[in-house]
Amino acid sequence: QLVESGGGLVQAGGSLRLSCAASGRTFSNYAVGWFRQAPGKERELVAVIGWSNTYYADSVKGRFTISRDNAKNTVYLQMSLLKPEDTAVYSCAADSNFVVLRLGRTGQYWGQETLVTVSS
C-alpha cells in the first residue's frame, strides 16, 4: 500500500514536499514514480527514482527533486519554484521495473491522490 501526503495550497514561487510511504513491502526493491493529472488533461509522468538513477519530465527539471529514504520506506518529491501550471492531483506508483514507470505506465502499486494547488 502506498500513501501520499504533503499536498496543499501554495503561492507561485513557493515549495512543497510530497511523501509517498509504503507499507507491507520493502520499498528499496522498487522504482517509484510520481504522476500528476491536471483538470481536463491527461496524466503526466513527473519523476521516477530507481536504485541509482532518476528521470524528470522537462516541465519540472531543475525545480523538482525526487529522493528516497529506504530506511523509512518513503520516497519524496521536493517541489520548488512552483507555478500555477503545477496544479494537479499527484499520485505515486511503484514497480519492480524502472522502465515501466519511465514509460509512464501504471505500476504494480498505485497510491491515492494528493492535491497540489498553486495560486498565482
Side-chain angles (χ1 to χ4, degrees):
Q1 183 181 2
L2 304 180
V3 178
E4 295 97 334
S5 61
L9 173 64
V10 64
Q11 288 188 331
S15 299
L16 278 176
R17 189 179 76 163
L18 304 183
S19 299
C20 174
S23 61
R25 293 188 180 274
T26 303
F27 220 17
S28 60
N29 293 337
Y30 293 85
V32 179
W34 283 97
F35 294 77
R36 68 185 181 186
Q37 187 164 18
K41 295 187 177 182
E42 294 187 353
R43 188 180 72 191
E44 175 189 20
L45 173 64
V46 175
V48 184
I49 186 166
W51 296 265
S52 60
N53 50 346
T54 57
Y55 163 82
Y56 295 95
D58 288 342
S59 58
V60 306
K61 202 171 292 184
R63 300 189 298 120
F64 290 12
T65 301
I66 190 170
S67 62
R68 66 193 307 160
D69 185 336
N70 291 330
K72 294 183 179 179
N73 248 13
T74 301
V75 168
Y76 303 99
L77 185 69
Q78 178 67 47
M79 305 184 294
S80 303
L81 300 175
L82 283 162
K83 305 175 182 180
E85 50 263 45
D86 294 317
T87 295
V89 288
Y90 286 70
S91 302
C92 64
D95 198 283
S96 56
N97 189 335
F98 178 92
V99 174
V100 169
L101 299 178
R102 168 66 183 85
L103 293 176
R105 297 173 181 167
T106 303
Q108 294 169 282
Y109 305 98
W110 194 264
Q112 85 281 17
E113 303 165 339
T114 188
L115 176 62
V116 172
T117 303
V118 183
S119 62
S120 57

